Amino acid sequence: QVQMVASGGGSVQAGGSLHLVCSVSGYALCPVYMTWQRQGPGKEREFVAGVSSDGGPVMADSVKGRFNISQEPVNVISSAHSSTSLHLRMTNLKPEDTAEYYCEIKWGTLCEYKFRGQGTQVTVSS
């Protein structure tokens, strides 16, 4: 039902930048419920960023002022089949940003299901 690919991870030094992209396609997608999450070594998964219903960014306090999120317009492929991409531009990266970054989206007639794709690793060295 849902196909998702996250890319753009890598290894950088503190202060560096990376641009993550999550591309998703499928039926009955709910793009408004598309978010980036991350899980660092020995830590629980946490919310990083999302886009609110009015299109504005919603950022975790730990990344405010350093990360920026944007979503491409939804491409309607056919009835109920659509695609879009979610971008996460990360600047002034810190070692504590080291984590596997995941993209998650809700789907279904009532947006009742969640889909989380494979992550992309971000490693920041001091």
Side-chain angles (χ1 to χ4, degrees):
Q1 288 276 25
V2 180
Q3 293 182 322
M4 178 182 284
V5 177
S7 62
S11 297
V12 297
Q13 292 190 327
S17 302
L18 285 172
H19 176 192
L20 306 185
V21 182
C22 175
S23 297
V24 62
S25 65
Y27 288 92
L29 297 180
C30 304
V32 70
Y33 296 114
M34 197 168 177
T35 64
W36 280 102
Q37 302 175 15
R38 68 185 181 186
Q39 186 166 16
K43 299 180 181 179
E44 294 187 353
R45 189 171 63 249
E46 64 177 352
F47 169 82
V48 177
V51 179
S52 67
S53 57
D54 63 1
V58 180
M59 316 296 292
D61 289 342
S62 59
V63 305
K64 281 181 181 177
R66 300 187 298 119
F67 291 11
N68 186 35
I69 190 169
S70 61
Q71 187 173 52
E72 294 183 16
V74 175
N75 177 33
V76 178
I77 301 171
S78 66
S79 175
H81 189 201
S82 62
S83 67
T84 187
S85 293
L86 192 67
H87 296 254
L88 186 67
R89 292 173 175 82
M90 308 185 294
T91 63
N92 192 20
L93 283 162
K94 303 176 180 181
E96 51 263 42
D97 294 319
T98 295
E100 188 84 5
Y101 283 70
Y102 300 90
C103 186
E104 184 175 282
I105 190 169
K106 289 188 178 181
W107 66 278
T109 306
L110 301 176
C111 302
E112 66 269 36
Y113 304 110
K114 286 184 182 179
F115 182 89
R116 186 183 311 119
Q118 290 189 331
T120 183
Q121 177 67 36
V122 170
T123 302
V124 185
S125 58
S126 57

